[in-house]
Structures are given as structure tokens and as C-alpha cells.
Amino acid sequence: MSWSEAVRPVRMQRVAIVAPYETLRETLVRIAEAGNVEIDRIEDPAHATPGPAARRLQRLRTEPPYALLCVAPPDLDDLERAGRTDLLAGEAQLEERIGSAVRRGAVAALAGWCPAAEVRATAARLADVGGVLVPMRTPGGTDPPTLLRDTGAVRGSFSPLVRTYGTVPYADIDPTMPAGIVYVVMFGVMFGDAGHGALLLLTALLLYLGRPRRLAPLRRLWPFVAGAGLTSTAAGVAYGELFGPTGVLPVLWLDPLEQPMRLLAAAVGLGVALLALAYGAGIVNRWREGGPANALCAASGVAGAVLFLGFAVLAGGVLAGRTGLALGGAVLAFAGLALAGSGLFTASAGGVGGAVQTGVQLFDVVVRIGSNVVSFARLAAFGLTHAALGEIVWRGTTGLAGKGAVALLGAVVVFTVGNALAFALEALVAGVQALRLEFYELFSRVFETQGRPFRPWHVPVQHMEVAS
């Protein structure tokens, strides 16, 4: 797979399922078993007239645990008497698809979508029953459904981040890997403690081993948890934190409580770098969605990136006391505003109302850039909170130590319970705040629209005969 294919959704192919009407059922059964074709529905199932299988299923008044299909057409009355709601549910779904077929004489056809790499193999499954899977051109103005790759342990563990936000538009890049890396880095900055990071690594190991068994459904998340543990451990080593300021580790970079402003500046600097990357991804997406003109004038495209760069250069010039640099930044910012304004005005109704609307939207763009940059200060704020909690627990521990056996026992309890509380509280807070920064500050620039998820029709097939 080329790198260009790896950073975009799975390529989809518009297809037609064509078969003699007398073998349409067999053809659709094989499509359902393959589970890689999304079939267009002509009629909304909620308003469709129920077929024979659906009516029998309604009479049983029980929800089937799952749907199942038979290779050969079963006797529906036998299924109803036997209470086989699973097979009735499968036949009801089959009736809906057959009802959506377009029939011309003895031939029936349905349209849908299939991953391009699977079209040939799927067509081969249909050949011996007279069915064919015909590739077609994508209709104008129609976006294919989106299917993201989740192959591989790391990509699979990061994919819930993107899916929780929404469906990636088909034309856009797939941000799964960079989004996961950015998340665990931000989490580690806020959760910087080598001891707590080691506990996360232990948790990842237990998930990988499937222990305890009730957490086995979360096993696929072990790389995500391991990544958070690695970044937290690295940040803890940089801060000199091991279950708090115990003095076991030397401070390699800075002590959060001693140098909060330096940590704050580093957090904002990291935010500026991440926003720049988000603008880069936004430019690529706007180009793919609407061409170069859209990429140039979009507030999340070149126009927004130039405005952001202009403000950054302007701020740098002011802080450094360099007038020329500040003037250059102001010119860049004005150019970005002009580009964004032209795009917003073109998208409006025009006239005085359009001009007012454009002004309000430009003001919002400017305010958002400032607020988003400042928002990354929370990386430092919650990193300080974590360090402060560790300091409190460690002071309580050392205050009790050396004052007798009872006090020593109390010190152990304070150290253990205090670290457990700090771990639980800060893991929750850092996880939520990293998610917030990812969604609101970064993804809001990467995505402007939502795509439609690929929902293939998949029903398991029972190859044995159904007993009467």
C-alpha cells in the first residue's frame, strides 16, 4: 500500500448487482455472507409494506438476538411455528433488498458501494448463480461512504478517537494515526509522573494479556494505553516526578512547581505547532473537497493559515521588540483576513446583509484563533495540578515518617491512598482535557463537514437445512 492510500479512507467503487430474477435470492445471500457491499435502499424501511417474513416476525412479538439466512428458501410457516426469529429476521431483510431491486423483464438489479479492492473477489462469488457485480461511475454530486482502515494494533486502538468525533468525509485525509499520537502526547504532558506512567504501562500489559477477563473486550486498546503510559513516563522523567517529588529522579528539564511560566510557555508553543499542523491538514482537505479556490479562501484553509501565521509573527515581533517583524506579521494577517473575507462573502447572500454577516464571521475567526492558542495553556495548568497533588501527598508522607511505628503505618497509607486518588483523578481530567483540545481546537480546522459511514449488509448464512 502506498503512503497516499494509507492516509485516506478506503477507496470505494460504485457497483450494480445484476442477476436473473429467479436467482436474485441466491445472489443476495452470497452478498450478505460476504458482508462487503452496501446496498442502496429505494424505500425507507420504516414506511415499507412488510413482507411475509416480516409479518410473521411481528406476530411473534419478540426481538431476534441476531439475523441469520438459509442458503435454500425456508418454509416461513415452519419457522414461525418453531419460533426461529433469527431466520425470520434474515428473511425479512432479504425481502427488503429484493423489494428495492429494479426489475426489467427477467433481470433484476440493485446499486450500492463496495471497497474497490474487493470488487473482483465478490464478483467471483456470484458467477456460478448467474449474478454479476458491475463497476459503475460515481454519480455526480454523490459522495461515497467512508470506511477507515483499522488494520494493525496501533491504528485499531486509535480509531475510536476519530469515530467518536464523527465520520470523516470520503475526500478528506484519514487522521487516525496523527490524532492518536497527538492525544497521547498531550495526555503525557498533563499526567507527567514516571510512577503513574509505569502504572499505565502495567495496565496496558494486563489488557494485552486479557487480564482480568471482564476487561477482555478492551484488549484492542492496549497500544493506546501503552502510548499514554510512555508519554507520561517520559514527562515524569523530564519533571523529576516519581509518585510525586520523591527525589528519586533528578529534574532533567524543569520542575513544574518551581518554573510554572516556563512550562506555560512550552505548552502554548506546543499548541501553536499543533494548530499549524491542523491548518496544513485543513488545506489538503479543502483542496480535495472543493478544489484550489476553496482551499485558498477557506477560514480553515490557506486564508486561515496565513492569518494564523501573521498573528504568530506579529506576536513574536512585539515580544522581541522588532518593529519590522511586527509589521510583516500585520501584513500577513491582513492578507489572511482579506482572503477569508472574500470566501465568506462569496458564500453569503451578498449585499449589505452579506457584508455584515462576513464581518461577524471574520471577528469570530480572529477570536477563535486567540482563544484556541490560549486554550493550550491547560496543558501546563493540569500538569501543575498533577505536580501539586504529588507534592501534597509527599509532604504528608514525609511529615508522618520517623515518628514511630503507628505514624510510619500512617505514612504508608497516606502515600498509597494519596497516589491512588491522584492517579484516578488526574487520569480522568487529563483524558477529558486532551480529548477536548483534540476535538475543538484541532479537528475543527481539519474537518468542515461530516461524511457518511460505510454500512455493508452482512448476515451470517446457515448452510445446513432447517428442520421442520
Side-chain angles (χ1 to χ4, degrees), residues 259-296:
Q259 298 173 291
M261 296 308 296
R262 186 179 173 190
L263 181 61
L264 178 63
V268 173
L270 176 60
V272 169
L274 293 178
L275 287 171
L277 292 175
Y279 273 116
I283 292 171
V284 174
N285 286 344
R286 300 300 85 76
W287 187 296
R288 289 181 172 179
E289 292 165 0
N294 183 49
L296 181 64

mmCIF file of all heavy atoms in Angstrom, residues 259-296:
data_model
loop_
_atom_site.group_PDB
_atom_site.id
_atom_site.type_symbol
_atom_site.label_atom_id
_atom_site.label_comp_id
_atom_site.label_asym_id
_atom_site.label_seq_id
_atom_site.Cartn_x
_atom_site.Cartn_y
_atom_site.Cartn_z
ATOM 1 N N GLN A 259 9.021 26.309 38.132
ATOM 2 C CA GLN A 259 9.098 27.084 36.885
ATOM 3 C C GLN A 259 7.788 26.993 36.112
ATOM 4 O O GLN A 259 7.748 26.518 34.982
ATOM 5 C CB GLN A 259 10.261 26.568 36.024
ATOM 6 C CG GLN A 259 11.626 26.706 36.678
ATOM 7 C CD GLN A 259 12.706 26.030 35.854
ATOM 8 O OE1 GLN A 259 12.745 24.798 35.759
ATOM 9 N NE2 GLN A 259 13.584 26.831 35.258
ATOM 10 N N PRO A 260 6.702 27.488 36.700
ATOM 11 C CA PRO A 260 5.403 27.366 36.023
ATOM 12 C C PRO A 260 5.318 28.174 34.728
ATOM 13 O O PRO A 260 4.674 27.736 33.768
ATOM 14 C CB PRO A 260 4.413 27.875 37.070
ATOM 15 C CG PRO A 260 5.215 28.757 37.965
ATOM 16 C CD PRO A 260 6.574 28.154 38.012
ATOM 17 N N MET A 261 5.954 29.350 34.672
ATOM 18 C CA MET A 261 5.856 30.170 33.471
ATOM 19 C C MET A 261 6.588 29.522 32.291
ATOM 20 O O MET A 261 6.154 29.624 31.138
ATOM 21 C CB MET A 261 6.419 31.562 33.742
ATOM 22 C CG MET A 261 5.641 32.351 34.786
ATOM 23 S SD MET A 261 3.857 32.409 34.424
ATOM 24 C CE MET A 261 3.850 33.309 32.875
ATOM 25 N N ARG A 262 7.688 28.860 32.586
ATOM 26 C CA ARG A 262 8.401 28.162 31.515
ATOM 27 C C ARG A 262 7.558 27.012 30.978
ATOM 28 O O ARG A 262 7.511 26.777 29.760
ATOM 29 C CB ARG A 262 9.736 27.648 32.052
ATOM 30 C CG ARG A 262 10.639 27.035 30.981
ATOM 31 C CD ARG A 262 11.939 26.569 31.604
ATOM 32 N NE ARG A 262 12.754 25.839 30.637
ATOM 33 C CZ ARG A 262 13.846 25.167 30.946
ATOM 34 N NH1 ARG A 262 14.275 25.133 32.208
ATOM 35 N NH2 ARG A 262 14.522 24.530 30.014
ATOM 36 N N LEU A 263 6.894 26.302 31.876
ATOM 37 C CA LEU A 263 6.009 25.227 31.442
ATOM 38 C C LEU A 263 4.834 25.786 30.651
ATOM 39 O O LEU A 263 4.423 25.212 29.635
ATOM 40 C CB LEU A 263 5.503 24.451 32.662
ATOM 41 C CG LEU A 263 4.565 23.271 32.385
ATOM 42 C CD1 LEU A 263 5.260 22.222 31.526
ATOM 43 C CD2 LEU A 263 4.061 22.658 33.690
ATOM 44 N N LEU A 264 4.311 26.927 31.075
ATOM 45 C CA LEU A 264 3.197 27.564 30.368
ATOM 46 C C LEU A 264 3.618 27.958 28.952
ATOM 47 O O LEU A 264 2.884 27.731 27.979
ATOM 48 C CB LEU A 264 2.724 28.785 31.148
ATOM 49 C CG LEU A 264 1.591 29.607 30.528
ATOM 50 C CD1 LEU A 264 0.330 28.772 30.428
ATOM 51 C CD2 LEU A 264 1.331 30.867 31.352
ATOM 52 N N ALA A 265 4.794 28.557 28.833
ATOM 53 C CA ALA A 265 5.279 28.963 27.509
ATOM 54 C C ALA A 265 5.479 27.745 26.609
ATOM 55 O O ALA A 265 5.162 27.781 25.411
ATOM 56 C CB ALA A 265 6.589 29.740 27.655
ATOM 57 N N ALA A 266 5.992 26.654 27.180
ATOM 58 C CA ALA A 266 6.198 25.443 26.383
ATOM 59 C C ALA A 266 4.860 24.861 25.929
ATOM 60 O O ALA A 266 4.731 24.387 24.787
ATOM 61 C CB ALA A 266 6.973 24.411 27.195
ATOM 62 N N ALA A 267 3.846 24.900 26.798
ATOM 63 C CA ALA A 267 2.525 24.374 26.438
ATOM 64 C C ALA A 267 1.903 25.189 25.308
ATOM 65 O O ALA A 267 1.351 24.633 24.351
ATOM 66 C CB ALA A 267 1.611 24.374 27.658
ATOM 67 N N VAL A 268 1.988 26.508 25.401
ATOM 68 C CA VAL A 268 1.440 27.355 24.340
ATOM 69 C C VAL A 268 2.214 27.152 23.044
ATOM 70 O O VAL A 268 1.646 27.112 21.950
ATOM 71 C CB VAL A 268 1.455 28.833 24.775
ATOM 72 C CG1 VAL A 268 1.057 29.745 23.621
ATOM 73 C CG2 VAL A 268 0.512 29.040 25.957
ATOM 74 N N GLY A 269 3.552 27.012 23.143
ATOM 75 C CA GLY A 269 4.354 26.744 21.949
ATOM 76 C C GLY A 269 3.966 25.440 21.285
ATOM 77 O O GLY A 269 3.882 25.346 20.050
ATOM 78 N N LEU A 270 3.713 24.399 22.102
ATOM 79 C CA LEU A 270 3.253 23.125 21.556
ATOM 80 C C LEU A 270 1.906 23.302 20.872
ATOM 81 O O LEU A 270 1.658 22.750 19.788
ATOM 82 C CB LEU A 270 3.150 22.079 22.669
ATOM 83 C CG LEU A 270 2.579 20.708 22.276
ATOM 84 C CD1 LEU A 270 3.442 20.047 21.204
ATOM 85 C CD2 LEU A 270 2.447 19.802 23.504
ATOM 86 N N GLY A 271 1.037 24.105 21.485
ATOM 87 C CA GLY A 271 -0.273 24.363 20.888
ATOM 88 C C GLY A 271 -0.157 25.056 19.544
ATOM 89 O O GLY A 271 -0.871 24.723 18.597
ATOM 90 N N VAL A 272 0.746 26.021 19.445
ATOM 91 C CA VAL A 272 0.954 26.724 18.167
ATOM 92 C C VAL A 272 1.413 25.745 17.091
ATOM 93 O O VAL A 272 0.939 25.780 15.945
ATOM 94 C CB VAL A 272 1.973 27.869 18.344
ATOM 95 C CG1 VAL A 272 2.395 28.433 16.990
ATOM 96 C CG2 VAL A 272 1.386 28.978 19.215
ATOM 97 N N ALA A 273 2.332 24.856 17.442
ATOM 98 C CA ALA A 273 2.819 23.867 16.472
ATOM 99 C C ALA A 273 1.692 22.924 16.034
ATOM 100 O O ALA A 273 1.558 22.603 14.844
ATOM 101 C CB ALA A 273 3.967 23.072 17.083
ATOM 102 N N LEU A 274 0.859 22.485 16.981
ATOM 103 C CA LEU A 274 -0.231 21.576 16.638
ATOM 104 C C LEU A 274 -1.288 22.271 15.783
ATOM 105 O O LEU A 274 -1.842 21.676 14.847
ATOM 106 C CB LEU A 274 -0.869 21.017 17.915
ATOM 107 C CG LEU A 274 0.018 20.089 18.747
ATOM 108 C CD1 LEU A 274 -0.707 19.653 20.012
ATOM 109 C CD2 LEU A 274 0.448 18.874 17.941
ATOM 110 N N LEU A 275 -1.560 23.540 16.085
ATOM 111 C CA LEU A 275 -2.518 24.285 15.264
ATOM 112 C C LEU A 275 -1.996 24.464 13.841
ATOM 113 O O LEU A 275 -2.758 24.411 12.876
ATOM 114 C CB LEU A 275 -2.818 25.639 15.902
ATOM 115 C CG LEU A 275 -3.697 25.607 17.159
ATOM 116 C CD1 LEU A 275 -3.735 26.982 17.815
ATOM 117 C CD2 LEU A 275 -5.112 25.167 16.799
ATOM 118 N N ALA A 276 -0.696 24.683 13.712
ATOM 119 C CA ALA A 276 -0.109 24.805 12.376
ATOM 120 C C ALA A 276 -0.277 23.504 11.592
ATOM 121 O O ALA A 276 -0.610 23.521 10.394
ATOM 122 C CB ALA A 276 1.373 25.182 12.490
ATOM 123 N N LEU A 277 -0.072 22.366 12.252
ATOM 124 C CA LEU A 277 -0.279 21.079 11.587
ATOM 125 C C LEU A 277 -1.747 20.889 11.206
ATOM 126 O O LEU A 277 -2.053 20.352 10.130
ATOM 127 C CB LEU A 277 0.174 19.938 12.503
ATOM 128 C CG LEU A 277 1.686 19.838 12.769
ATOM 129 C CD1 LEU A 277 1.965 18.741 13.790
ATOM 130 C CD2 LEU A 277 2.439 19.566 11.472
ATOM 131 N N ALA A 278 -2.654 21.330 12.090
ATOM 132 C CA ALA A 278 -4.084 21.211 11.790
ATOM 133 C C ALA A 278 -4.456 22.062 10.577
ATOM 134 O O ALA A 278 -5.255 21.634 9.726
ATOM 135 C CB ALA A 278 -4.912 21.634 13.003
ATOM 136 N N TYR A 279 -3.881 23.260 10.474
ATOM 137 C CA TYR A 279 -4.134 24.085 9.289
ATOM 138 C C TYR A 279 -3.602 23.401 8.032
ATOM 139 O O TYR A 279 -4.226 23.467 6.964
ATOM 140 C CB TYR A 279 -3.492 25.455 9.450
ATOM 141 C CG TYR A 279 -4.371 26.461 10.154
ATOM 142 C CD1 TYR A 279 -4.014 26.999 11.388
ATOM 143 C CD2 TYR A 279 -5.559 26.894 9.578
ATOM 144 C CE1 TYR A 279 -4.821 27.924 12.039
ATOM 145 C CE2 TYR A 279 -6.372 27.814 10.220
ATOM 146 C CZ TYR A 279 -6.002 28.327 11.449
ATOM 147 O OH TYR A 279 -6.805 29.236 12.083
ATOM 148 N N GLY A 280 -2.440 22.757 8.126
ATOM 149 C CA GLY A 280 -1.904 22.033 6.979
ATOM 150 C C GLY A 280 -2.850 20.941 6.508
ATOM 151 O O GLY A 280 -3.115 20.796 5.304
ATOM 152 N N ALA A 281 -3.375 20.166 7.460
ATOM 153 C CA ALA A 281 -4.341 19.124 7.098
ATOM 154 C C ALA A 281 -5.618 19.740 6.547
ATOM 155 O O ALA A 281 -6.230 19.205 5.609
ATOM 156 C CB ALA A 281 -4.656 18.258 8.319
ATOM 157 N N GLY A 282 -6.034 20.877 7.115
ATOM 158 C CA GLY A 282 -7.236 21.550 6.627
ATOM 159 C C GLY A 282 -7.089 22.019 5.188
ATOM 160 O O GLY A 282 -8.030 21.934 4.397
ATOM 161 N N ILE A 283 -5.912 22.524 4.828
ATOM 162 C CA ILE A 283 -5.671 22.968 3.448
ATOM 163 C C ILE A 283 -5.814 21.793 2.481
ATOM 164 O O ILE A 283 -6.455 21.904 1.431
ATOM 165 C CB ILE A 283 -4.276 23.602 3.331
ATOM 166 C CG1 ILE A 283 -4.233 24.929 4.101
ATOM 167 C CG2 ILE A 283 -3.909 23.832 1.866
ATOM 168 C CD1 ILE A 283 -2.843 25.514 4.226
ATOM 169 N N VAL A 284 -5.217 20.659 2.835
ATOM 170 C CA VAL A 284 -5.326 19.471 1.983
ATOM 171 C C VAL A 284 -6.787 19.049 1.833
ATOM 172 O O VAL A 284 -7.265 18.746 0.721
ATOM 173 C CB VAL A 284 -4.485 18.317 2.561
ATOM 174 C CG1 VAL A 284 -4.706 17.036 1.762
ATOM 175 C CG2 VAL A 284 -3.011 18.679 2.572
ATOM 176 N N ASN A 285 -7.529 19.038 2.940
ATOM 177 C CA ASN A 285 -8.927 18.620 2.884
ATOM 178 C C ASN A 285 -9.785 19.585 2.082
ATOM 179 O O ASN A 285 -10.664 19.162 1.312
ATOM 180 C CB ASN A 285 -9.491 18.478 4.298
ATOM 181 C CG ASN A 285 -8.989 17.242 5.003
ATOM 182 O OD1 ASN A 285 -8.462 16.329 4.375
ATOM 183 N ND2 ASN A 285 -9.125 17.205 6.315
ATOM 184 N N ARG A 286 -9.579 20.903 2.254
ATOM 185 C CA ARG A 286 -10.385 21.866 1.496
ATOM 186 C C ARG A 286 -10.102 21.733 -0.002
ATOM 187 O O ARG A 286 -10.993 21.878 -0.828
ATOM 188 C CB ARG A 286 -10.076 23.291 1.944
ATOM 189 C CG ARG A 286 -10.322 23.641 3.397
ATOM 190 C CD ARG A 286 -11.753 23.483 3.855
ATOM 191 N NE ARG A 286 -12.037 22.125 4.268
ATOM 192 C CZ ARG A 286 -11.645 21.586 5.425
ATOM 193 N NH1 ARG A 286 -10.941 22.292 6.282
ATOM 194 N NH2 ARG A 286 -11.973 20.342 5.730
ATOM 195 N N TRP A 287 -8.840 21.443 -0.369
ATOM 196 C CA TRP A 287 -8.491 21.246 -1.777
ATOM 197 C C TRP A 287 -9.219 20.020 -2.332
ATOM 198 O O TRP A 287 -9.787 20.052 -3.428
ATOM 199 C CB TRP A 287 -6.985 21.080 -1.908
ATOM 200 C CG TRP A 287 -6.487 21.031 -3.334
ATOM 201 C CD1 TRP A 287 -6.761 20.088 -4.278
ATOM 202 C CD2 TRP A 287 -5.620 21.978 -3.971
ATOM 203 N NE1 TRP A 287 -6.124 20.369 -5.456
ATOM 204 C CE2 TRP A 287 -5.415 21.526 -5.307
ATOM 205 C CE3 TRP A 287 -4.991 23.143 -3.545
ATOM 206 C CZ2 TRP A 287 -4.609 22.220 -6.201
ATOM 207 C CZ3 TRP A 287 -4.178 23.821 -4.449
ATOM 208 C CH2 TRP A 287 -4.000 23.369 -5.757
ATOM 209 N N ARG A 288 -9.210 18.922 -1.566
ATOM 210 C CA ARG A 288 -9.866 17.702 -2.035
ATOM 211 C C ARG A 288 -11.372 17.862 -2.099
ATOM 212 O O ARG A 288 -12.041 17.265 -2.939
ATOM 213 C CB ARG A 288 -9.509 16.536 -1.108
ATOM 214 C CG ARG A 288 -8.065 16.074 -1.231
ATOM 215 C CD ARG A 288 -7.798 14.898 -0.309
ATOM 216 N NE ARG A 288 -6.484 14.314 -0.544
ATOM 217 C CZ ARG A 288 -6.002 13.288 0.141
ATOM 218 N NH1 ARG A 288 -6.738 12.730 1.091
ATOM 219 N NH2 ARG A 288 -4.801 12.812 -0.126
ATOM 220 N N GLU A 289 -11.930 18.672 -1.198
ATOM 221 C CA GLU A 289 -13.382 18.835 -1.159
ATOM 222 C C GLU A 289 -13.896 19.760 -2.254
ATOM 223 O O GLU A 289 -14.962 19.517 -2.820
ATOM 224 C CB GLU A 289 -13.799 19.395 0.207
ATOM 225 C CG GLU A 289 -13.592 18.434 1.359
ATOM 226 C CD GLU A 289 -13.664 19.119 2.707
ATOM 227 O OE1 GLU A 289 -13.882 20.360 2.757
ATOM 228 O OE2 GLU A 289 -13.491 18.436 3.730
ATOM 229 N N GLY A 290 -13.161 20.850 -2.522
ATOM 230 C CA GLY A 290 -13.698 21.840 -3.454
ATOM 231 C C GLY A 290 -12.702 22.456 -4.401
ATOM 232 O O GLY A 290 -13.022 23.464 -5.044
ATOM 233 N N GLY A 291 -11.494 21.913 -4.485
ATOM 234 C CA GLY A 291 -10.523 22.445 -5.428
ATOM 235 C C GLY A 291 -9.675 23.561 -4.848
ATOM 236 O O GLY A 291 -9.829 23.955 -3.682
ATOM 237 N N PRO A 292 -8.773 24.134 -5.665
ATOM 238 C CA PRO A 292 -7.830 25.146 -5.171
ATOM 239 C C PRO A 292 -8.488 26.417 -4.674
ATOM 240 O O PRO A 292 -8.013 27.033 -3.721
ATOM 241 C CB PRO A 292 -6.936 25.410 -6.390
ATOM 242 C CG PRO A 292 -7.695 24.885 -7.565
ATOM 243 C CD PRO A 292 -8.526 23.769 -7.072
ATOM 244 N N ALA A 293 -9.572 26.869 -5.309
ATOM 245 C CA ALA A 293 -10.232 28.101 -4.871
ATOM 246 C C ALA A 293 -10.787 27.939 -3.457
ATOM 247 O O ALA A 293 -10.671 28.846 -2.619
ATOM 248 C CB ALA A 293 -11.345 28.468 -5.845
ATOM 249 N N ASN A 294 -11.385 26.795 -3.188
ATOM 250 C CA ASN A 294 -11.913 26.531 -1.853
ATOM 251 C C ASN A 294 -10.792 26.479 -0.817
ATOM 252 O O ASN A 294 -10.915 27.018 0.284
ATOM 253 C CB ASN A 294 -12.679 25.203 -1.866
ATOM 254 C CG ASN A 294 -13.327 24.877 -0.536
ATOM 255 O OD1 ASN A 294 -13.999 25.703 0.057
ATOM 256 N ND2 ASN A 294 -13.119 23.660 -0.057
ATOM 257 N N ALA A 295 -9.670 25.818 -1.170
ATOM 258 C CA ALA A 295 -8.536 25.738 -0.250
ATOM 259 C C ALA A 295 -7.940 27.110 0.020
ATOM 260 O O ALA A 295 -7.491 27.386 1.133
ATOM 261 C CB ALA A 295 -7.473 24.801 -0.831
ATOM 262 N N LEU A 296 -7.938 27.991 -0.987
ATOM 263 C CA LEU A 296 -7.322 29.308 -0.837
ATOM 264 C C LEU A 296 -8.114 30.223 0.087
ATOM 265 O O LEU A 296 -7.531 30.911 0.928
ATOM 266 C CB LEU A 296 -7.176 29.963 -2.217
ATOM 267 C CG LEU A 296 -6.532 31.352 -2.257
ATOM 268 C CD1 LEU A 296 -5.077 31.282 -1.791
ATOM 269 C CD2 LEU A 296 -6.640 31.952 -3.655
#
